[in-house]
């Protein structure tokens, strides 16, 4: 089964003022950017997610917890400062052999309004043609093997067929425009149900459950 690795340690280059922060906690539509990626993982059937920590590590871990809020399992890891993101997955290549969704920087999985589709066996999608270093999702064992052994990242078209398009959040202007799109109605595409520990049970994010 495909697994996900989200590198949360990078602070956006355009965020030049204030304390160093993780892109994962940038607010979009009053929700952290990380949450949209965790929802995308759920939609794609991914249940094991590794968050690689760095800047704002404590805040990221406090927010995401063990993943039970989304019905997934979240574990945490670290890279030494200055190491390339691919170094993390290359430590244990067998763990990702069945499929890997990799995010290495600030980008937003913007839903198209279509139902999320799964990633077909033997295929790869990339997040951005203009910034290939942002990551990919691949269910191609041979391409993954080459990458995990030190080769080039798997190549493929952008992620239109997955029910979302990945938008690099590479400037304050892009950040602003995405927020305005969400405020102006696009947020309704993301009001997916939350999950409880009971099998098959869920409640909406905006539901308050009284203690009784």
């Amino acid at each position: 089964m495909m697994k996900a690795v989200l590198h949360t340690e990078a602070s956006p280059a355009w965020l030049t003022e204030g304390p160093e922060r993780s892109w994962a906690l940038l607010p979009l539509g009053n929700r952290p950017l990380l949450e949209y990626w965790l929802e995308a993982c759920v939609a794609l059937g991914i249940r094991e997610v590794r968050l690689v920590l760095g800047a704002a590590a404590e805040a990221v871990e406090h927010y995401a917890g063990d993943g039970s809020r989304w019905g997934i399992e979240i574990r945490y890891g670290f890279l030494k400062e200055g190491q390339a993101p691919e170094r993390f997955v290359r430590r244990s290549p067998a763990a990702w052999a069945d499929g890997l969704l990799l995010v290495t920087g600030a980008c937003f999985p913007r839903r198209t309004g279509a139902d999320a589709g799964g990633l077909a066996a033997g295929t790869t999608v990339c997040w951005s043609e203009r910034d290939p270093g942002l990551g990919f999702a691949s269910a191609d064992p041979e391409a993954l093997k080459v990458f995990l052994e030190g080769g080039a990242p798997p190549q493929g078209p952008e992620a239109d067929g997955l029910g979302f398009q990945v938008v690099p959040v590479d400037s304050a202007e892009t950040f602003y425009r995405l927020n305005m799109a969400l405020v102006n109605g696009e947020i309704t595409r993301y009001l997916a149900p939350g999950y409880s520990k009971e099998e098959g049970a869920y409640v909406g994010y905006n539901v308050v459950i009284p203690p009784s």
Side-chain angles (χ1 to χ4, degrees), residues 88-113:
F88 183 85
V89 291
R90 286 172 178 167
R91 290 175 182 169
S92 51
W96 329 109
D98 293 335
L100 173 63
L101 183 151
L102 180 66
V103 178
T104 61
C107 52
F108 176 56
R110 189 176 191 176
R111 292 197 179 182
T112 61

Side-chain angles (χ1 to χ4, degrees), residues 4-5 7 50 52 78-79 82-97 100-102 104 132-133 135-136 142-155:
V5 176
H7 286 261
R50 188 69 59 89
V52 183
F78 292 89
L79 268 178
Q83 289 186 334
E86 56 268 23
R87 181 77 175 268
F88 183 85
V89 291
R90 286 172 178 167
R91 290 175 182 169
S92 51
W96 329 109
L100 173 63
L101 183 151
L102 180 66
T104 61
F136 59 83
E142 292 303 317
L144 276 173
K145 185 174 184 292
V146 170
F147 171 67
L148 294 169
E149 290 180 351
Q155 299 297 308

Side-chain angles (χ1 to χ4, degrees), residues 126-140:
C126 295
W127 302 147
S128 172
E129 288 185 356
R130 62 190 172 114
D131 190 357
L134 279 178
F136 59 83
S138 181
D140 183 341

Side-chain angles (χ1 to χ4, degrees), residues 159-180:
D160 298 358
L162 297 181
F164 57 83
Q165 296 173 322
V166 178
V167 181
V169 187
D170 52 10
S171 68
E173 180 181 359
T174 300
F175 178 64
Y176 171 80
R177 290 184 182 279
L178 286 171
N179 265 296
M180 289 301 98

Side-chain angles (χ1 to χ4, degrees), residues 11 21 26 38 56 68 70 82 107 124 129 139 152 167 182 190 208 212:
S11 182
R21 66 168 68 185
L26 289 176
L38 295 178
S68 57
W70 296 275
C107 52
T124 298
E129 288 185 356
V167 181
L182 291 166
Y190 303 90
V208 176
S212 59

